[in-house]
Amino acid sequence: MIGRLNHVAIAVPDLEAAAAQYRDTLGARVNPPQDEPDHGVTVVFIELPNTKIELLHPLGDNSPITAFLAKNPAGGIHHICYEVDDILAARDRLTESGARVLGGGEPKIGAHGKPVLFLHPKDFNGTLIELEQV
Ligand code: CO
């Protein structure tokens, strides 16, 4: 059911510093910051030959990243994103298997303008998983 690894998301305490590190030290192709008010984050996408890295920083008062950074002040891997062909079929298969889909199970439009869902990390070996329909 799942396809390619779309991105790995890393929560960072200093978005500008992290973007500069990827651009200048690691020599990666780094895009400008993008505010995602629906998700409470500002993101910077880094394009690698085989996948993307998504740097996440809190945006607004109810950002899901604020608590994560409080627990991980140096930053850390926040989620990984797998591609699926049909997000509703994927959701139904997962909920039938007993996995918990976050946020009521209705897909939201993600940072790439495509529908996304998040799966409970306790159901997937402690890893928050995003599914993106491509
Ligand atoms: Co993501």
Side-chain angles (χ1 to χ4, degrees), residues 3-4 6 11 13 15-16 21 27 29 32 39 43 52 72 75-76 82 85 89 95 99 101 110 112 119-120 124 133:
R4 285 162 30 99
N6 185 278
L15 192 56
E16 211 167 296
Q21 181 183 53
R29 198 165 142 200
H39 297 270
V43 299
K52 295 186 281 282
N72 305 277
Y82 299 126
D85 291 331
T95 47
V101 178
H112 310 110
L119 308 176
H120 201 299
F124 292 93
Q133 181 171 290

Side-chain angles (χ1 to χ4, degrees), residues 48-67:
L48 304 183
N50 63 340
T51 190
K52 295 186 281 282
I53 303 295
E54 180 182 86
L55 302 179
L56 295 175
H57 191 72
L59 173 69
D61 292 335
N62 293 312
S63 174
I65 304 304
T66 304

Side-chain angles (χ1 to χ4, degrees), residues 17-92:
Q21 181 183 53
Y22 270 84
R23 185 179 55 239
D24 303 332
T25 308
L26 295 174
R29 198 165 142 200
V30 176
N31 288 293
Q34 188 181 324
D35 288 343
E36 300 291 337
D38 286 357
H39 297 270
V41 291
T42 301
V43 299
V44 167
F45 277 107
I46 297 158
E47 294 173 51
L48 304 183
N50 63 340
T51 190
K52 295 186 281 282
I53 303 295
E54 180 182 86
L55 302 179
L56 295 175
H57 191 72
L59 173 69
D61 292 335
N62 293 312
S63 174
I65 304 304
T66 304
F68 184 90
L69 283 175
K71 274 186 247 158
N72 305 277
I77 293 180
H78 182 264
H79 67 268
I80 57 178
C81 177
Y82 299 126
E83 297 180 355
V84 295
D85 291 331
D86 182 337
I87 202 159
L88 295 178
R91 175 198 62 191
D92 292 347

